Each structure stands twice: as structure tokens, then as C-alpha cells.
Amino acid sequence: MKKFNDPQNSIKYTGNNNLSQHAFDGDHPTATKPRCGMVLLKYERSHSFRCSNCNRDKVSKKIAILQNNPTQLICNACYGYIISRNEIK
């Protein structure tokens, strides 16, 4: 499992939050607007990681992180489920 590392501070989100900067092997993500305390990062290439929510090994271009704990990686499926349960329709 690879860990995030980005010494060049490459996330392009312009909101007023203090997200840690993340990249996998030089693949710099773009970040979406925060929803339910999470930010969805979109990468150019797929990366493997373990989802902190479902505890499964995943391979994806989209990885969500918690704003208050950016070391917790969440898969896109769990991210969508959490959003659907917490946002008013």
C-alpha cells in the first residue's frame, strides 16, 4: 500500500481549509468542494490503498479524505454512501 506524499503542495482546492497535500508517485490530484467533512481527490492514474471505512483494499482514481484527519483514506463507494446518508435530498 502506497502512502500519500507531496512536498510540492499540489492540491488545487481554494477553500479556506487546512488539508494536507497528497500525491502518489508524482500523480498530483485535483480536489472537489468539501462535503460532509470529506474532500474527494481525483487522480490521473489509479492507485491502490486500503479504505478506512470498509477496510477493503481498493484500486481507484478517486480517493476521499477526511478534512480533520487526512491520513484516513475512503473509497469512492463509501464516500457516495456517506454523502447519500448525510445530505438532505
Side-chain angles (χ1 to χ4, degrees), residues 54-67:
C54 64
N55 205 29
R56 293 182 180 167
D57 291 325
K58 299 285 188 159
V59 176
S60 179
K61 291 181 180 182
K62 296 180 181 180
I63 302 170
I65 59 170
L66 298 175
Q67 283 185 285

Side-chain angles (χ1 to χ4, degrees), residues 25 28 33 36 44 47 51 56 71 74 77 82-83 85:
D25 296 331
H28 301 291
K33 177 181 167 185
C36 296
E44 301 255 339
H47 299 283
C51 177
R56 293 182 180 167
T71 61
I74 300 171
I82 292 167
I83 295 295
R85 291 294 181 189

Side-chain angles (χ1 to χ4, degrees), residues 4 9-10 19-20 22 25 27-28 31 39 46 48 51-52 58 65 72 74 80:
F4 283 118
N9 300 325
S10 64
L19 292 176
S20 291
H22 299 289
D25 296 331
D27 187 5
H28 301 291
V39 174
S46 295
S48 60
C51 177
S52 298
K58 299 285 188 159
I65 59 170
Q72 299 259 329
I74 300 171

